[in-house]
Amino acid sequence: MRDRSDHRPTMGDIAEAAGVSQMTVSRVLRGSGSASAEARARVEQAAHQLGYVPNRLATALRDESTPLVAVILPTLGNRVFSEVLAGVTETLAGQGMQPVFGVTEYDPLREAALVRDLLSWRPRGIILPGLEHAKGTRAAIRASGVRVAEVMDLDGDPISVAFGLSQVEAGRATARHMLARGYRRFGWIGAQGGRDLRASKRLAGFRETVRAAGAQMVAERVFDGPSAMVQGRRGTAMLLDGLARPDAIYFANDDLAAGGLMHCLAEGLTVPRDVALAGFNGLGFLEALPVRLTTVETPRREMGISAARHVMGDGPVAEAKVDLGFRLVAGETS
Amino acid sequence: MRDRSDHRPTMGDIAEAAGVSQMTVSRVLRGSGSASAEARARVEQAAHQLGYVPNRLATALRDESTPLVAVILPTLGNRVFSEVLAGVTETLAGQGMQPVFGVTEYDPLREAALVRDLLSWRPRGIILPGLEHAKGTRAAIRASGVRVAEVMDLDGDPISVAFGLSQVEAGRATARHMLARGYRRFGWIGAQGGRDLRASKRLAGFRETVRAAGAQMVAERVFDGPSAMVQGRRGTAMLLDGLARPDAIYFANDDLAAGGLMHCLAEGLTVPRDVALAGFNGLGFLEALPVRLTTVETPRREMGISAARHVMGDGPVAEAKVDLGFRLVAGETS
DNA sequence: TTGAAAGCGCTAACAA
DNA sequence: TTGTTAGCGCTTTCAA
């Protein structure tokens, strides 16, 4: 018999202490099956006294199913993903499920490694960003048989079901809006060294529409690090001081765009007369800015909620793409 | 014999396919022990072909140890906690550990439930915010025997080790700074309906110092929802339009303070002549604002990193409180 | 180099 | 109402 002295108490220990069988302990603690009031009391007392903590690993192994959902995010350095995650978490919590998660920093290989790792916990489902994955990731997920939800993007071929919006269309819509306002010389400011494929898709849609209208992209600046207001401010300064001065700047997101606006405020430029600005996401903090930024509102929390619901559900998978839409919000900067 | 048709492949299945024992499969896949090149090849081939995914539940149950760390956060609606989480995640990822997490929304009862839930995964450690917990939570964690790190706060009695800063001192330091600049009538703007105990501690330290100097708090406004720039903007408008007009406002955090600044910019007020402002945290986005906000810089990522290191480590627990410090940053708003 | 046996903690199924 | 048995998938131990 092994030494149990430094072991966490198990149902066996409780059984011994309470003078019943281990099965009775199991029944009492789970409130299933029947047990005499007598036994119940003794078990509960013993469990409490020993400081018993159930071991879900055992339950999960036995049940061949866990209440876990794997969640993969590109980064935590962007509110957008915290909001998606918040939607997921809130939805899971209501159902007694737990998120296990990891962050890729926009690296497909890290994503692949994470997927492997997370799948080995036998989660009920997996939620991951975007539709582009490293070779093999797709197959691994498919083979694992877990329910999958891809979020953010719809422009591509989902593994199973995607919840999001067309990034290309969002770019096009922004371009149409800016063109309608009369701007002809466009700039682009991005981040993540171009590794954010969804931003690239928006830019592609934007550029295509701009060119089709006979207007042009005159300057682009993509920063290497995470997107941040300060980069937007710096990039805007660069573009406006450059040779090919744009009359409107499209930013990869609101943080960058707000930074651009801050540059203009600090320099005393008049927006949009001196330069027009447009962001992406419609984050809450835009409401507080002294000037309303033109942006495209995206359903971040909703993507998280829908994805979580999907992976928890056990109904059949209906559509491959669920378009949660976007909304162009014309502000005072265009 | 049970029907294995809809089961995920196990080592047993691979063994059968490769014509070796299950133990050999285990050895090959883990790269431990020895196996003939022949066996190795056959096993690897079969594993690949069957799309084998290891089941860590079994390993963890067997090993009586998991590579999981439980992480509890007050909310995801505040960058501060995403940054702490990022520090944790980054540190864990380097060691092949996974975070499992949950969000309390500043509710101690939810926290208690989460702790119970997360502990049942037998994590190696648990990281949680603050030093105040619902009755029983402390005992439950202690009894579980996992390594514990509390983050953010040092003003109180840690369960085991706390990594953070003195919130009370941060409040005092801010007050001293404002008093030195000559302000005498102070306002406070908070959020989370006062449930954020660390903000309350800062306010207590601030108030105490203000009063000791013979100055006073003339107006306070605490919003119910999450802190956001827009609340700061609204609250500032209220305080400045109120009867007891403060000459300086202390905000529970930078988001609120930046909102206050936006109000001033939008209204054409001169800061700090018309009103002085001070925030808390030193978030990156402050750099991009047209006016440098006075704030207290906190070591958010470091708290996450230190806490993660602590719970992963197996050395003895040294000190009960690890002060990671803070730094008052005098900006242009005071 | 390989395999057989035992057991991690729990619960479904069956038996008393 | 209570207990016994078996087994989830894996790895440690011991034996061949």
Side-chain angles (χ1 to χ4, degrees), chain A:
Chain A
M1 188 174 174
R2 87 200 156 88
D3 178 21
R4 299 192 140 262
S5 54
D6 74 335
H7 274 266
R8 315 274 170 78
T10 68
M11 287 190 174
D13 299 325
I14 297 177
E16 206 175 313
V20 297
S21 79
Q22 197 234 56
M23 210 33 237
T24 300
V25 174
S26 171
R27 283 194 271 252
V28 170
L29 294 184
R30 305 181 356 108
S32 77
S34 40
S36 62
E38 160 83 27
R40 195 175 300 282
R42 292 232 301 278
V43 166
E44 264 153 11
Q45 212 264 324
H48 183 77
Q49 175 156 1
L50 293 175
Y52 175 72
V53 177
N55 186 337
R56 283 174 109 130
L57 294 168
T59 310
L61 181 62
R62 160 80 233 202
D63 292 354
E64 306 184 25
S65 138
T66 60
L68 296 174
V69 170
V71 183
I72 295 181
L73 300 176
T75 176
L76 283 168
N78 189 326
R79 282 188 102 72
V80 169
F81 301 108
S82 325
E83 291 188 17
V84 173
L85 182 58
V88 170
T89 306
E90 150 201 320
T91 308
L92 295 181
Q95 307 296 313
M97 315 257 317
Q98 302 280 348
V100 198
F101 87 108
V103 166
T104 67
E105 297 301 342
Y106 292 98
D107 177 351
L109 294 180
R110 270 211 232 181
E111 182 182 82
L114 255 174
V115 164
R116 263 202 314 280
D117 254 36
L118 294 176
L119 285 180
S120 70
W121 290 106
R122 299 286 143 117
R124 193 103 82 190
I126 184 168
I127 298 174
L128 68 173
L131 300 169
E132 289 78 18
H133 311 289
K135 218 181 124 208
T137 299
R138 198 187 169 84
I141 292 177
R142 271 230 159 96
S144 79
V146 302
R147 294 179 72 98
V148 196
E150 283 162 293
V151 288
M152 315 304 295
D153 194 6
L154 293 181
D155 303 319
D157 181 24
I159 298 174
S160 167
V161 187
F163 299 87
L165 57 116
S166 167
Q167 303 283 335
V168 175
E169 264 312 319
R172 286 191 190 126
T174 308
R176 282 196 298 270
H177 168 80
M178 301 301 264
L179 288 164
R181 298 285 174 123
Y183 306 105
R184 312 297 292 171
R185 298 166 52 77
F186 296 98
W188 162 261
I189 294 178
Q192 299 290 359
R195 278 164 293 133
D196 178 349
L197 299 179
R198 289 172 293 286
S200 304
K201 289 179 182 182
R202 293 194 291 279
L203 174 57
F206 187 90
R207 182 185 277 141
E208 169 206 307
T209 304
V210 160
R211 291 206 176 137
Q216 52 181 326
M217 302 294 301
V218 297
E220 304 190 5
R221 171 82 214 187
V222 175
F223 290 92
D224 231 350
S227 72
M229 266 174 79
V230 63
Q231 307 280 44
R233 182 166 174 174
R234 207 167 291 157
T236 302
M238 290 173 173
L239 258 55
L240 296 184
D241 289 347
L243 292 175
R245 198 174 192 279
D247 57 16
I249 305 178
Y250 184 33
F251 295 82
N253 62 45
D254 289 340
D255 294 289
L256 295 169
L261 177 59
M262 292 301 143
H263 170 77
C264 296
L265 289 180
E267 297 294 312
L269 299 177
T270 304
V271 179
R273 207 200 54 203
D274 294 324
V275 62
L277 311 170
F280 179 76
N281 269 324
L283 293 180
F285 82 95
L286 297 188
E287 273 186 68
L289 298 184
V291 179
R292 241 359 144 88
L293 200 66
T294 292
T295 189
V296 163
E297 217 173 85
T298 58
R300 301 174 297 283
R301 182 171 292 267
E302 290 74 9
M303 290 189 274
I305 294 173
S306 304
R309 284 213 185 112
H310 171 69
V311 299
M312 287 188 317
D314 33 27
V317 171
E319 324 158 61
K321 297 186 186 185
V322 178
D323 192 343
L324 297 174
F326 62 82
R327 195 168 68 84
L328 188 125
V329 180
E332 301 156 8
T333 62
S334 63

Side-chain angles (χ1 to χ4, degrees), chain B residues 317-334:
Chain B
V317 172
E319 324 158 62
K321 296 186 184 183
V322 178
D323 192 343
L324 298 174
F326 62 82
R327 195 168 69 84
L328 188 125
V329 181
E332 301 157 6
T333 62
S334 62

Side-chain angles (χ1 to χ4, degrees), chain B residues 246-259:
Chain B
D247 57 16
I249 305 179
Y250 184 32
F251 295 82
N253 62 45
D254 289 340
D255 294 289
L256 294 169

Side-chain angles (χ1 to χ4, degrees), chain B residues 16 144 180-181 189:
Chain B
E16 206 175 314
S144 78
R181 298 284 173 125
I189 294 178

